Each structure stands twice: as structure tokens, then as C-alpha cells.
Amino acid sequence: ARVWRGLIEEYRDRLPVTDATPVVTLLEGGTPLVPAVRISQLTGCEVRLKVEGLNPTGSFKDRGMTMAISKAAEDGAKAVICASTGNTSASAAAYAVRAGMTCAVLVPNGKIAMGKLAQALVHGARLLQVDGNFDDCLELARKLSVDYPVALVNSVNKYRLQGQKTAAFEIVDALGDAPEVHCLPVGNAGNISAYWMGYKEYAADGVATRTPRMLGFQASGAAPFVKGEPVLKPQTIATAIRIGNPASWDLAIAARDESGGAIDSVTDRQILAAYRLLAREEGVFVEPASAASVAGLLQAAEQGVVKPGTRVVCTVTGNGLKDPDWAISGAPAPTVVRVDAHEAASALGLT
Ligand code: F0G
């Protein structure tokens, strides 16, 4: 059987690594591309889900982090730092452990999901909860990386996007060509930029015959691209994408325009509806921010922006277990029973 070796080994010839690069890996990448039967029915499209929550720390961030930490190790870094809405910090903390580095993370106080906080802590990161939002945290992390001996591993680190572009390679490798439309959530805007890099690279080298239209979706309370300028006080229940001043602004605009795509917004209500649809109709448990891609596709199909018959891939970026509060709060309280078959049967409605 062929064994997945992690994305740096799988795509070594397309990544900026050499024999001198120590590969720091948790065997990330190689995630499933799952047919979405119900969403296909609803839209008339041929929809697949790139399930990035199945990466080692439960999000797509591991793709960028294996590259960023490997290159930091090559440069002799002893410590790394990042700002995060949670997933980047979880990933940085785990990969820093693999590399024997210390890891500092800055997160917005009270605004990250419990599972992500747990990940940073269990991996031994030094965690600061900052009285500010993600944009404030990133500004702070950038300053610290300039003034102190600590390497910045946010997506402004050019190696991050190089790692993340491999998701596009995997999709083309699995389908035999690029999809016609690719939907994904947009926060700090690194991922949409990375996918576009990957798709363009494969098309330029003739591995794919086309590039997809890139459709990015922000939460309506945190939608600087839709507004056309930074949002000072971003608000959304999808804490992972609660970002008002995306770092990869120009790259994301280029991805949108060069691909003939769009960056639109969806409401928190639409995000939660897509979140439940994914869980209850597709069997795929994602975190709320991840459902923005599907909420956006449903909206785009409704608007006629995506026509029936289109081959679509939606990236679902993070695992639902990271943020279980939304799963529990939307469900009825479980029934407690004695150890009694009759009572259990009747509680289950079997009688
Ligand atoms: N989905 C999830 C689950 C995320 O964690 C993020 C970003 C995004 C989507 C948006 O991706 O920033 O490349 O546009 N999370 C970052 C973090 C900001 O700190 O974990 P993007």
C-alpha cells in the first residue's frame, strides 16, 4: 500500500525546500474529497467537500505550518510566534513541539473556541489573551517578531501559503482536472490566495486544463472585502473568521479578479444553517466558520451565480470538535433514563 508521507514529501518538487531543510511534519494533507449528496441535490451542482478538519490538528493550518516551521528550523529559529483566532495557534503549538521550539501565541481574549484554546495549552504554548481583536493581535505579533528573536508564522510568512497551495494540487490530482468553481471561507485571506497559487501553478504546467472561479465568503459582520475597506469592529459567531483587516488583501483581490470570481458575505444565520445541514445531511461535522463556504454556495446557486451542472469544490476548513458549543446549544437536552429496557425504548420512541 502507498503511504502518505506528508505534503512536503508528496509535493517536494513544487515547494521551496532543499536537502538542507529539516522536514517538520505530522503527515498533514492528503485529506478526503467527499461527494456532498444533499448539497448537490439542493444546488443541482456536482459538489464535493475538501474536508480539512481531518488534518493532524484539525484544520487546514497544518499545511502552512509544516512549511513555516520547517523553514524556521532551517534558519535556526528557537522560538516562533503567531496571532490567531485559534486554529493557527493550535497548529503552531503542535508543530513547534515536533521541532523542539518554544511557541508564543496571541489570541483575542474570550473570542476563541474552547477546543482551540485546549490545543495550544496541551502542546505547551505560551498563550496570551490580548484585550483586542485578531487584527490587534497580528499587529502585536509582527512588532514582537521584529524586535525579539522569534519567528512569525502567520500567513504573512511566505512559506505558509506555499504549504497551503497543496490543497489545490490534491483536488486536481483527485479529480483529474480543476473544478469549475471553488468556494471557501475568507478571514485573513491567506487560504484563498494559496489555493489560487496552486491552481494557477498546475494550469501553467499543464497538469490542469483550467482554473476555477474562486468564490470567497466572509461573515456579514466581518466582511471588509465586501465593504471595500477594513472593518474596525468585526462581529460574527464564526470566531475563526472574525477579522476586519485581512493581511493578504491584495493577493485575495487578485485571486478574485484573475479567476473571474467574487468575495461575498453570508449572515451568521446562513452560516449556522449550513453548519447544521453539513452535520445532519452530509455527516460532516465542521466548525461554524468552515460552513461559510457551503452557506455561500447555497446563496450563489440561489442567485444564479453558480449554474446547475457546475463542478464545485467547497473547502470546509476546520473540525467541528474544536467548537462544540454550537452543536450542543442547538440540540434538545438528552434524556436521562434508568437501566431499564422499557424506559429506554419508550424514551427512544420505539414502542
Ligand atoms: N476557516 C477556519 C476554520 C479558520 O481558522 C480560518 C482562519 C479561516 C477559515 C480563514 O482562512 O484566514 O486564510 O482567510 N483562521 C486564522 C487563525 C485566522 O488564526 O486560525 P484565511
Side-chain angles (χ1 to χ4, degrees), residues 59-61 83-89 116 134 154-155 160-161 164 185-192 240-241 243 287 289-290 317-319:
S59 86
F60 72 95
K61 303 291 181 178
S84 183
T85 55
N87 282 322
T88 298
S89 51
K116 302 173 188 177
F134 170 82
N154 278 105
S155 55
R160 279 277 309 275
L161 301 195
Q164 287 174 216
V186 172
N188 211 24
N191 213 28
I192 191 171
I241 53 172
I243 294 173
E287 62 170 289
S290 305
T317 44
N319 197 302

